[in-house]
Amino acid sequence: MNIGLLARIEARPEYAGQVEAMLGDALQLAREEDHTVTWFAFKESDTVFGVFDTFENEEGRTGHLRGRIAAALTEAAGTMLASPPDIRPVDLLAVKLP
């Protein structure tokens, strides 16, 4: 794994619980993606969440961006999010895993 995505997701306060639950439920979708090596959803504050995931190659990253998790975020953006998700590609410099 040498590339990834870092996404920042800001929920509208009244939808924060639903966004948190949606990200928890997305774990199963991530497990079903063959090219997603690691996937983490996290919470920064009551309304700010994020996702960090890694891939072996650009094909995997591109496939993930066209997948069901991205589609769910896009659908939620109009009502549950304060702004569109900020999704950035990243290159991994060093990795430590168990």
Side-chain angles (χ1 to χ4, degrees):
M1 94 192 103
N2 58 6
I3 60 175
L5 289 168
L6 180 62
R8 184 176 185 275
I9 302 156
E10 186 171 355
R12 292 181 180 173
E14 64 272 25
Y15 292 106
Q18 288 174 267
V19 171
E20 185 172 347
M22 179 180 65
L23 290 172
D25 293 343
L27 176 59
Q28 184 55 42
L29 298 176
R31 287 180 174 148
E32 294 171 6
E33 293 181 347
D34 292 334
H35 297 292
T36 300
V37 178
T38 61
W39 189 87
F40 304 89
F42 57 89
K43 182 176 180 177
E44 286 184 34
S45 69
D46 288 343
T47 58
V48 178
F49 304 90
V51 174
F52 173 71
D53 34 20
T54 64
F55 313 91
E56 290 292 340
N57 54 44
E58 188 60 44
E59 177 186 6
R61 180 161 61 185
T62 301
H64 178 74
L65 287 170
R66 294 180 182 150
R68 293 169 58 196
I69 296 171
L73 281 175
T74 300
E75 184 178 322
T79 56
M80 294 194 290
L81 304 184
S83 59
D86 179 9
I87 302 172
R88 299 174 186 222
V90 296
D91 294 331
L92 303 179
L93 302 177
V95 176
K96 180 194 180 289
L97 295 173

